[in-house]
Amino acid sequence: IEEAGVHSGDSACVIPPQTIPEHILDTIRENPQVLLDVLRSNSIALLDIAQEGSNKRRISTLKEQWSKDLTIKKTFHCNDRPVYGNKNAKVRIIAFSDFTCHYCFASKATIEKILTEYKDKVSFIYKSSPMVENGPSAIASAWFLAIAKQDQEKAWKFYNEMFEGKEMLQSDNLSFIRKTAQKLKLNMAKLEKDVKSDKKIKTMLREDREDGDSHGVEGTPVFFVNNLVVRGAVPYELFKIAVDMALKDAE
């Protein structure tokens, strides 16, 4: 303002407030380096503002998509699947997942937090969606279902161990799977037999593949919160929005 010939003590030279922005723009046009210096010195704050704006747009876009999802009924094969939580919960989260997937592992803590917070209002089902058709995750999924035939609580302990030891699962797969099952004190002879020849287990794994194909699952993880589709390892706060929308719709 001083460069424009305005001094705070000279009332005759005071620029009306409505004209100040134009003078500022003129100064910036004449001295663009001034603006660049200001931006550089406030780069972290500017990045925070940009990130906040990006997050708001993402949430707005997802809410719009999820509102559409609510109107499209989605069905899955869930009979005889292990269910974590209240089987009659108003909201059911169905996860298409892979035990060796980094993003699936990252999502595990989010799902656990959701189940703890919402208690009996939310339940959870795991569906096998292996990146490699006959790879370690596919093998572990068959064992998960076979263990559930003996003890569902132990099946979920096995589920946790597979994720926590995903590197071991990838390198030693069947050896790691057997050792984990043995620690759970299960009937190993029956387990081995069921994994190899139980037609029901084979049918459930085939149905998981069919459900994934019919609902456009092309990567992992993908979660169906009742009819809402949540793709990828989204933050807890975002996943919570989906659960709240599904719960409100169910009620």
Side-chain angles (χ1 to χ4, degrees), residues 136-240:
S137 183
I139 297 169
S141 295
W143 280 74
F144 169 69
L145 293 173
I147 292 170
K149 287 185 64 178
Q150 294 189 35
D151 189 315
Q152 285 210 18
E153 185 176 341
K154 289 183 177 180
W156 287 112
K157 289 181 179 178
F158 176 85
Y159 166 92
N160 288 331
E161 289 288 336
M162 290 300 102
F163 271 121
E164 296 297 332
K166 62 188 179 65
E167 287 81 10
M168 290 289 291
L169 176 59
Q170 287 178 298
S171 59
D172 297 333
N173 48 77
L174 198 51
S175 173
F176 173 68
I177 288 170
R178 285 194 175 107
K179 287 177 183 176
T180 303
Q182 286 167 349
K183 284 194 298 183
L184 293 172
K185 302 187 182 307
L186 295 156
N187 184 331
M188 294 301 296
K190 180 171 176 22
L191 268 182
E192 296 274 4
K193 181 181 178 182
D194 287 345
V195 168
K196 289 179 181 177
S197 58
D198 190 286
K199 291 182 179 179
K200 198 169 190 177
I201 290 173
K202 294 183 186 301
T203 297
M204 285 193 282
L205 293 173
R206 175 178 52 77
E207 288 173 346
D208 286 355
R209 290 193 298 271
E210 291 173 352
D211 282 349
D213 290 342
S214 64
H215 290 89
V217 175
E218 296 179 347
T220 54
V222 175
F223 302 95
F224 289 84
V225 185
N226 283 3
N227 294 314
L228 278 66
V229 187
V230 180
R231 299 185 186 275
V234 303
Y236 167 77
E237 291 76 15
L238 204 52
F239 209 111
K240 189 177 186 302

Side-chain angles (χ1 to χ4, degrees), residues 3-140:
E3 289 179 1
V6 181
H7 304 281
S8 58
D10 187 353
S11 60
C13 295
V14 173
I15 301 173
Q18 65 269 26
T19 65
I20 290 176
E22 188 59 38
H23 281 268
I24 293 173
L25 288 173
D26 287 341
T27 301
I28 292 172
R29 291 188 190 104
E30 294 170 8
N31 303 277
Q33 189 61 41
V34 172
L35 177 59
L36 292 174
D37 290 342
V38 171
L39 293 175
R40 289 192 185 98
S41 62
N42 294 276
S43 58
I44 294 176
L46 288 169
L47 285 172
D48 288 342
I49 292 169
Q51 185 62 52
E52 183 180 354
S54 176
N55 289 341
K56 286 181 179 178
R57 283 194 300 274
R58 185 186 185 195
I59 291 171
S60 177
T61 300
L62 283 173
K63 280 185 174 180
E64 184 179 345
Q65 179 58 52
W66 288 339
S67 295
K68 293 177 183 177
D69 287 344
L70 287 173
T71 66
I72 304 171
K73 178 70 175 175
K74 298 171 182 67
T75 58
F76 302 89
H77 294 91
C78 292
N79 290 341
D80 302 316
R81 301 296 196 289
V83 178
Y84 192 94
N86 176 18
K87 292 184 178 182
N88 299 315
K90 294 186 181 226
V91 174
R92 174 166 288 179
I93 300 171
I94 296 177
F96 286 83
S97 188
D98 180 302
F99 286 121
T100 63
C101 166
H102 169 75
Y103 296 105
C104 298
F105 175 72
S107 298
K108 185 171 173 289
T110 296
I111 297 300
E112 288 172 351
K113 192 172 180 181
I114 290 288
L115 291 168
T116 299
E117 178 175 346
Y118 286 86
K119 297 183 171 61
D120 289 346
K121 294 180 180 179
V122 175
S123 63
F124 177 77
I125 287 179
Y126 164 85
K127 277 184 170 286
S128 176
S129 184
M131 293 183 283
V132 180
E133 187 173 350
N134 296 310
S137 183
I139 297 169

